[in-house]
């Protein structure tokens, strides 16, 4: 009887939870490409398309700077309020696009 309970518990623990089985991808409604040195309204995330990886100096919504290491390829970074890219301090070759949910 104990073995049956142990097996039942083990099977219950191995079953995927519905919340963990689904990945949540936020829906963005608009996008604004950034030309370094020309600020845009900050958003809710950024899309990066990098042909050469390296440091990307992002200008945040409050004017502070964030040095972000970007790898070659494409990526979306959620929950990052970026308004510009500073060419000084940037060694990566990337297109940066501000994404907005609303």
């Amino acid at each position: 009887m104990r073995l049956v309970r142990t097996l039942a518990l083990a099977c219950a623990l191995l079953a995927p939870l519905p919340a963990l089985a689904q990945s949540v991808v936020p829906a963005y409604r608009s996008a604004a490409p950034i030309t370094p040195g020309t600020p845009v309204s900050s958003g809710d995330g950024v899309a990066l398309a990098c042909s050469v990886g390296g440091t990307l100096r992002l200008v945040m919504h409050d004017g502070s700077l964030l040095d972000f290491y970007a790898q070659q390829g494409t990526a979306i970074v959620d929950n990052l309020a970026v308004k510009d890219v500073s060419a000084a301090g940037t060694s990566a070759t990337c297109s940066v696009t501000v994404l907005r949910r609303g």
Side-chain angles (χ1 to χ4, degrees):
M1 187 64 147
R2 183 179 164 145
L3 178 61
V4 172
R5 284 187 206 157
T6 304
L7 288 174
L9 179 61
C11 289
L13 291 174
L14 292 175
L17 296 173
L20 296 177
Q22 299 175 5
S23 100
V24 177
V25 177
Y28 290 106
R29 299 199 183 275
S30 66
I34 294 178
T35 300
T38 307
V40 298
S41 297
S42 63
D44 303 299
V46 290
L48 307 173
C50 302
S51 58
V52 176
T55 301
L56 187 59
R57 183 162 286 170
L58 302 173
V59 180
M60 306 306 288
H61 72 285
D62 62 359
S64 63
L65 300 175
L66 172 66
D67 286 344
F68 187 88
Y69 184 79
Q71 296 181 349
Q72 182 179 3
T74 58
I76 292 178
V77 183
D78 294 318
N79 301 320
L80 204 59
V82 175
K83 69 176 184 179
D84 199 0
V85 174
S86 173
T90 292
S91 62
T93 304
C94 299
S95 296
V96 180
T97 303
V98 171
L99 304 173
R100 296 185 192 96
R101 289 188 183 101

